Amino acid sequence: MNVGFIGLGAMGRPMALHLQAAGHVLHVWARRLASTEGLPAVVRATPAEIGAACEVVFTMVTSSADVEAVALGEQGLIWGMAAGSVLVNCSTIAPEAARRIAGRLGEQGIDMLDAPVSGGPQGAVDATLAIMAGGEAAVLERVRPLLEKLGQRIVHVGPNGAGQVAKACNQMIMVAAIEAVAEALRLASAAGVDAGKVRQALAGGSAASRVLEVMGRRMVERDFAAGIEARLHHKDLGLVLAAARQSGVPVPLTACIAQQLNALMAMGLGKNDTAALLRVLETR
């Protein structure tokens, strides 16, 4: 089928390529034309043009405002997509924004899934992403064959917005684990113990985790080149805190970690990997 993709960054580009490799005709649009270079795709001039050409359109852009602009703004997807077509938003945005966009599209008969993903750039390259879907179950089943080209675990969480709630929960747990690993390895170093050996010892016990394996290794090797840029986790935890405030839910641990991310941003490390939380601890 004709499939559109908007958002050709570290994760979006390999995701788009998987869809093209599966035999679909890929249509793309990007604010920076350079992002489309080398893609085996039809480059469109506006999101509306992609919408008019495609049965399903994926978005993988940064913020709630970005998704709203692409979907509903001037020359946005809504002005091109036909009734019965589907927008699959894989970006991490506010649940209320996902519901609002879905509502506006629904007025034109356009379906939407909020389908944020977890797994990072490597998961996008390997097509092993976890996909948390919010929207109508029947719509999910229509696009499931496409999603199966991108990830291994696809879970229908509930109606529109539910996928974004699940992603918020994912980010709470994951970034808390990154901070915990940073604090543990900082303590080891400050006590004069080899942090690499401590990580190796912990990996065989109840503290073992994917975060300890990947982020712990980056911290020990002091490899802070971005896997996922810390600025994105800073944005995500802001969404979490806003959702918690709206729901009246106390999230004290998340609030503390958000402050650490604020400090990281103030140090100018936002384009580093989130493993750079170790560097925040080392300044204190």
Side-chain angles (χ1 to χ4, degrees), residues 48 136 180 194 254 278:
E136 293 184 10
D194 185 327
T254 302
L278 176 65

Side-chain angles (χ1 to χ4, degrees), residues 12-253:
R13 188 180 182 91
M15 292 167 69
L17 286 170
H18 288 313
L19 295 171
Q20 189 276 333
H24 302 292
V25 179
L26 182 64
H27 301 251
V28 299
W29 174 83
R31 286 178 292 189
R32 295 183 301 106
L33 191 59
S35 299
T36 67
E37 291 180 359
L39 276 176
V42 180
V43 179
R44 297 292 180 175
T46 66
E49 284 192 17
I50 284 189
C54 297
E55 300 154 69
V56 180
V57 180
F58 288 79
T59 50
M60 189 62 171
V61 295
T62 301
S63 69
S64 300
D66 292 329
V67 179
E68 291 203 60
V70 165
L72 307 177
E74 185 178 351
Q75 300 188 64
L77 291 167
I78 194 171
W79 306 112
M81 295 180 78
S85 56
V86 184
L87 170 60
V88 182
N89 172 46
C90 297
S91 312
T92 300
I93 64 174
E96 61 186 34
R99 297 185 191 105
R100 183 167 59 249
I101 296 167
R104 285 284 307 280
L105 293 174
E107 293 171 2
Q108 305 299 319
I110 303 164
D111 293 311
M112 175 176 162
L113 292 176
D114 51 288
V117 300
S118 180
Q122 194 59 53
V125 169
D126 296 338
T128 57
L129 295 169
I131 302 173
M132 310 158 216
E136 293 184 10
V139 176
L140 173 59
E141 292 311 308
R142 283 168 53 200
V143 302
R144 185 179 288 274
L146 297 174
L147 295 175
E148 288 175 342
K149 302 302 179 183
L150 308 178
Q152 293 182 333
R153 181 185 294 268
I154 303 164
V155 177
H156 182 224
V157 183
N160 284 116
Q164 297 298 341
V165 172
K167 182 61 185 290
C169 295
N170 180 87
Q171 301 305 76
M172 292 171 74
I173 294 170
M174 183 180 65
V175 182
I178 296 171
E179 174 68 15
V181 170
E183 292 183 15
L185 297 184
R186 176 64 186 134
L187 175 61
S189 296
V193 177
D194 185 327
K197 294 293 186 183
V198 170
R199 171 181 167 274
Q200 183 180 353
L202 298 181
S206 57
S209 69
R210 179 70 173 160
V211 168
L212 177 63
E213 176 190 349
V214 175
M215 295 297 195
R217 182 180 64 252
R218 290 177 182 167
M219 293 174 195
V220 169
E221 296 176 355
R222 305 198 67 78
D223 176 13
F224 300 118
I228 297 180
E229 293 182 359
R231 67 182 179 88
L232 299 176
H233 284 146
H234 178 259
K235 179 264 296 185
D236 291 350
L237 260 64
L239 295 175
V240 171
L241 293 176
R245 184 164 55 248
Q246 187 175 44
S247 299
V249 174
V251 286
L253 178 59

